[in-house]
Amino acid sequence: AGLVVPPAASRVELTFGESPPTELRLRVACGDVSVKLTLDKRWLGKTVAEAVVKPFLSVYNRRQPTATPPRTPEQAVEIHADGAKLPSAKEALRMGPLEALGWHCTRVDLFFSYEAVRAAAKPRPMLGQSVGHISTADYREATELLWTLRKLNKAD
């Protein structure tokens, strides 16, 4: 019978459930600048600072006016992965991409000032809250459509 783990193996990795991805496709953005990155196994073994932020900043800094000092990864005050703020930008920069961003992350937003964070925060209406003005006729049509889809009537 063959051995599952060779005796000369110096390290054994066990994975239960879904195995980690071998690549991660991301859209990294800051302000109006957005870059698509594909991280293969080589890049997934690096830190977020090396694999995600530095390649993005090489493009970002070239697109900024010459009077603007170039950004560095350490200047990031917040990092958002798929819209969710990571607990600490400084810690995330030192972690691996899969650990910091998650296995299924598709978008990373970088913020270098708290003003940029506030400007990017869009108030989202809560469930049932009006987004804007809607005419009475449109409202009636929408509620009738919901009743029809849910097989309800006005008595329900």
Side-chain angles (χ1 to χ4, degrees), residues 20-100:
T22 56
E23 75 173 22
L24 195 58
R25 294 174 187 265
L26 301 170
R27 177 168 294 282
V28 184
C30 177
D32 295 334
V33 179
S34 177
V35 174
K36 287 183 184 179
L37 293 177
T38 300
L39 307 180
D40 60 14
K41 279 190 163 198
R42 181 173 59 102
W43 289 97
L44 290 174
K46 297 179 183 255
T47 64
V48 169
E50 291 291 323
V52 178
V53 181
K54 280 187 180 179
F56 170 79
L57 287 178
S58 68
V59 174
Y60 178 84
N61 287 330
R62 279 182 279 162
R63 293 186 184 174
Q64 297 307 306
T66 55
T68 307
R71 298 276 187 201
T72 63
E74 296 76 27
Q75 292 174 318
V77 295
E78 276 192 22
I79 300 174
H80 294 195
D82 287 331
K85 177 188 172 206
L86 299 183
S88 167
K90 303 301 178 207
E91 287 180 25
L93 290 172
R94 293 189 297 266
M95 298 167 71
L98 293 178
E99 183 183 2

Side-chain angles (χ1 to χ4, degrees), residues 124-132:
R124 294 189 177 106
M126 295 177 65
L127 185 62
Q129 191 178 20
S130 175
V131 177

